[in-house]
Amino acid sequence: MENSRYYLALYDISGIQSYIYHSNKLAEIKGASILVEKSLKDYLKKALEQVCGYEDENEAVSNSFFTEDGIGAKIVYIAGGNALVLYKDPDVYKKVNTALSTYLVENVPGLLFQVHAVETDCGMTGLKKDYKQLFSGMHKKKNEKPQMDYHKVFSMTKTCERTGKPAQVYSHGHYISEELNKKTAAAREEQEAYKELSELTGDGGKNYIAVVHIDGNRMGDKIQKLLGEESPDYMEGLEKIRKFSKDIEEIFNDSYEEMTGYMDELIKKSKSDKLKRFQGENTAAPFRKIYLGGDDVTFVCNGHIGIKAVEVFLNRLALNAEAKGRTDISACAGIALIKPKYPFYFGYQTALQACESAKHFIKDEPVYNALDFHIVHSNHIAPLSVTRSEQYVNDDINLLMRPYILFSSKDKEVKHILRRHDIQAFYEVSRMIFREENVRAKLKSIRNAYVMDKLDLQKSIKGLTNRKEGQNLIKRIQKRLENYGFDQQYIGSYYEYQGDYEEGDLFRSILFDSLEYMDLYVDWGDE
């Protein structure tokens, strides 16, 4: 190597959540997402092209980088608001950062980035150490040096009502910020069937939409494991990282496209009155992709299909990962079921926290795909953990069985404590409840009584079991749930079963999840 001073640089787009999700206007949300995607995939490449020649992430990493003239940088990956770039020269690194700053100010106003680099000689054993230093350094920089917004508002400045930034553009009778102008312009470039969140409900916004967030499990650990295999030299290690990132991008993108295609067919075949609005020959399935970067996925859809869509996505993810030989790839999903007028940012935060709840549940078994969901019933805004502890823990019973795990046919030996959280158990109970129209009022009474007290619940359960249809329903549920490790004598009583993951002091409700979800449930017939 002619030059022993190389720079490995990590780029991170700051504040993606607030930039994208602080709006209830679907055009603004989607437009912001498009700009975030362009920030590195387009503008970092333009900055590199302006300053030096470069190799993009589609080309393999090899030692030819060191000797090839006219190439000053190598993109290892760009994914999910991050990029990893190897530079030959520190001056080139600094000039690219200056050029990138200019591009973002001009084209993506309001979006900021951080960059941290380590100097390296690209030695035989240094990559794992450098990679760890990069991320710890970035974490420290983001926590110690909060970035200042360069769009200042002074007392004589007219402000944009939607962003609070200086109003610089007159559009459709209003003065708006350049940030909002760029977001809406980006959204107009896309031809989408659904322009507003309310259109996804099919009834003008009276029903629910599902905000879905999906995130891969322990991806950082998997890269560290890759770098620990057979001590690869520096460039071989970077190639492993590049290939891993590329595979993840393809696996998650393919899973989303396959999921929406499958759900479109499923909706068209469905006999549910709830989905008739979306069954026209030229009617698109009620989905809008918001953000898809690497293993980070966010989309919105009709509330009735949210859980099913996530199940299909995670199942396709498992198949696509296996096809690429990445059998250790898994993910968790959080689903927030909200009304379209509910603040979207808090709906997204609920989905994010539900995803974290699912991750926490399988922390000792990260090979599984899992999901959690939450139905927002009021405008009360609080962290999900607080809401659940205040509203879903009644005396000594936790009303929720969720999170749920998606087991495959290969998962033969599963602990009983996990098998009870099989998504199929939730579907079994939900389907039986959905089909019992004669005692639907009694079932709703039980659902409402769960959050009251034991006496109300016991009265409601007695009201159900006093009827023959109610007795038969409970017997069928008891019989089916034997397959999932439940003791049937407790099902249909207040204390349905005792003990669970880290909650041995609380009883759990088997029925409440399905009772709460009963108005949103669609009988797909393939579960």
Side-chain angles (χ1 to χ4, degrees):
M1 303 178 195
E2 295 179 5
N3 172 26
S4 62
R5 292 184 65 203
Y6 300 92
Y7 275 71
L8 187 64
L10 178 67
Y11 291 83
D12 181 271
I13 298 299
S14 305
I16 289 177
Q17 290 184 22
S18 60
Y19 190 80
I20 295 177
Y21 302 112
H22 262 303
S23 175
N24 270 51
K25 296 289 187 181
L26 192 50
E28 295 172 17
I29 295 169
K30 184 58 184 176
S33 173
I34 292 169
L35 293 179
V36 168
E37 185 176 358
K38 285 183 174 182
S39 61
L40 294 177
K41 286 193 173 181
D42 287 5
Y43 298 120
L44 175 57
K45 290 181 178 181
K46 285 187 176 183
L48 286 164
E49 189 175 10
Q50 177 181 318
V51 175
C52 65
Y54 72 96
E55 290 181 347
D56 72 16
E57 69 277 21
N58 294 314
E59 298 180 57
V61 180
S62 71
N63 287 319
S64 64
F65 168 74
F66 299 117
T67 57
E68 192 168 346
D69 293 333
I71 300 297
K74 166 62 185 170
I75 299 174
V76 180
Y77 69 75
I78 297 177
N82 297 114
L84 185 65
V85 183
L86 179 64
Y87 288 96
K88 285 183 178 177
D89 187 280
D91 290 334
V92 170
Y93 162 69
K94 293 173 185 177
K95 289 177 182 178
V96 168
N97 293 340
T98 301
L100 177 59
S101 296
T102 303
Y103 276 118
L104 293 186
V105 168
E106 292 176 350
N107 298 282
V108 195
L111 194 65
L112 305 172
F113 78 96
Q114 296 267 23
V115 60
H116 183 68
V118 293
E119 185 176 338
T120 177
D121 62 359
C122 294
M124 290 293 292
T125 60
L127 179 56
K128 192 169 185 177
K129 179 182 177 182
D130 287 349
Y131 199 76
K132 188 175 181 179
Q133 285 183 348
L134 265 182
F135 279 87
S136 62
M138 177 64 78
H139 180 74
K140 184 177 180 181
K141 182 176 286 189
K142 289 169 74 172
N143 287 334
E144 289 184 353
K145 297 180 180 179
Q147 289 179 294
M148 300 298 292
D149 191 343
Y150 52 83
H151 289 98
K152 296 295 184 183
V153 178
F154 300 98
S155 58
M156 74 289 289
T157 307
K158 186 173 183 62
T159 59
C160 171
E161 294 178 359
R162 301 199 59 78
T163 64
K165 305 286 178 66
Q168 300 165 276
V169 179
Y170 186 76
S171 175
H172 298 90
H174 299 278
Y175 287 99
I176 62 173
S177 65
E178 184 60 20
E179 176 183 325
L180 182 57
N181 182 51
K182 292 288 188 182
K183 288 178 179 179
T184 53
R188 284 195 295 270
E189 294 176 7
E190 288 211 334
Q191 299 298 319
E192 294 283 354
Y194 302 99
K195 307 293 186 184
E196 299 291 344
L197 293 171
S198 58
E199 294 176 8
L200 293 167
T201 66
D203 60 6
K206 297 176 184 177
N207 219 307
Y208 285 86
I209 59 171
V211 182
V212 177
H213 176 73
I214 301 172
D215 189 54
N217 294 331
R218 297 189 180 180
M219 290 301 179
D221 292 348
K222 290 176 175 59
I223 290 180
Q224 289 296 325
K225 184 179 178 181
L226 281 177
L227 298 181
E229 293 176 353
E230 301 176 0
S231 299
D233 71 24
Y234 212 92
M235 300 307 274
E236 286 178 0
L238 286 178
E239 172 57 15
K240 284 192 172 187
I241 294 174
R242 186 199 72 84
K243 185 66 167 61
F244 179 80
S245 175
K246 204 70 181 170
D247 284 351
I248 293 303
E249 182 179 29
E250 291 176 2
I251 288 168
F252 278 78
N253 272 279
D254 291 349
S255 299
Y256 180 82
E257 295 302 325
E258 290 168 14
M259 177 273 291
T260 53
Y262 180 85
M263 289 302 300
D264 189 28
E265 292 180 10
L266 212 56
I267 290 167
K268 295 288 194 293
K269 295 175 183 176
S270 172
K271 297 178 181 178
S272 173
D273 291 338
K274 301 166 184 173
L275 301 175
K276 279 187 176 179
R277 159 70 178 79
F278 306 107
Q279 292 179 332
E281 186 176 338
N282 298 316
T283 303
F287 288 89
R288 281 298 301 268
K289 179 171 65 177
I290 301 299
Y291 184 74
L292 208 169
D295 66 325
D296 186 347
V297 184
T298 301
F299 65 87
V300 289
C301 63
N302 179 279
H304 294 291
I305 66 177
I307 292 179
K308 183 65 178 178
V310 167
E311 181 210 357
V312 173
F313 180 98
L314 293 177
N315 284 335
R316 295 302 171 102
L317 180 78
L319 293 173
N320 290 329
E322 184 177 14
K324 286 189 175 290
R326 303 284 187 184
T327 53
D328 60 338
I329 299 301
S330 61
C332 284
I335 306 158
L337 293 149
I338 65 173
K339 295 294 181 71
K341 290 185 179 180
Y342 185 79
F344 190 85
Y345 180 77
F346 294 109
Y348 170 76
Q349 288 295 319
T350 300
L352 195 68
Q353 291 164 30
C355 182
E356 287 302 316
S357 168
K359 283 175 175 284
H360 178 74
F361 183 70
I362 62 161
K363 67 181 186 299
D364 296 326
E365 304 280 353
V367 297
Y368 293 126
N369 296 310
L371 66 85
D372 196 353
F373 68 90
H374 181 72
I375 304 174
V376 178
H377 294 290
S378 69
N379 289 328
H380 176 70
I381 294 172
L384 183 59
S385 58
V386 173
T387 299
R388 287 184 166 177
S389 63
E390 291 180 351
Q391 299 180 19
Y392 291 87
V393 177
N394 191 349
D395 294 330
D396 54 356
I397 184 171
N398 180 350
L399 299 180
L400 307 179
M401 277 299 300
R402 61 195 97 147
Y404 290 104
I405 299 173
L406 283 73
F407 295 107
S408 73
S409 58
K410 297 178 182 178
D411 298 319
K412 305 294 185 184
E413 300 296 328
V414 177
K415 301 173 186 175
H416 273 324
I417 203 167
L418 294 179
R419 182 61 77 183
R420 292 178 183 134
H421 292 266
D422 191 331
I423 188 67
Q424 295 304 321
F426 169 70
Y427 284 150
E428 295 257 24
V429 176
S430 298
R431 182 166 55 248
M432 286 186 277
I433 286 174
F434 176 78
R435 292 176 178 178
E436 283 298 330
E437 295 183 3
N438 292 333
V439 291
R440 194 169 181 81
K442 297 293 184 184
L443 290 167
K444 286 188 174 183
S445 176
I446 293 174
R447 178 185 66 186
N448 298 335
Y450 261 114
V451 296
M452 301 302 289
D453 57 40
K454 294 178 183 178
L455 184 60
D456 286 333
L457 181 59
Q458 288 165 352
K459 286 180 180 178
S460 297
I461 290 174
K462 190 173 182 180
L464 174 67
T465 55
N466 279 343
R467 296 188 59 173
K468 186 176 180 179
E469 299 96 324
Q471 291 178 17
N472 292 336
L473 173 63
I474 294 298
K475 287 178 181 177
R476 289 199 305 275
I477 291 175
Q478 289 172 339
K479 185 65 176 174
R480 288 291 183 90
L481 292 186
E482 277 187 325
N483 298 329
Y484 302 96
F486 292 106
D487 187 338
Q488 62 174 276
Q489 67 173 315
Y490 293 108
I491 300 169
S493 65
Y494 183 78
Y495 296 110
E496 294 190 310
Y497 91 91
Q498 186 177 21
D500 195 39
Y501 244 45
E502 301 179 347
E503 294 192 80
D505 57 333
L506 288 177
F507 290 87
R508 301 284 287 241
S509 168
I510 300 168
L511 302 181
F512 183 79
D513 281 355
S514 296
L515 290 171
E516 186 184 33
Y517 191 68
M518 63 191 294
D519 292 331
L520 285 164
Y521 179 78
V522 171
D523 191 347
W524 299 103
D526 68 335
E527 294 156 359

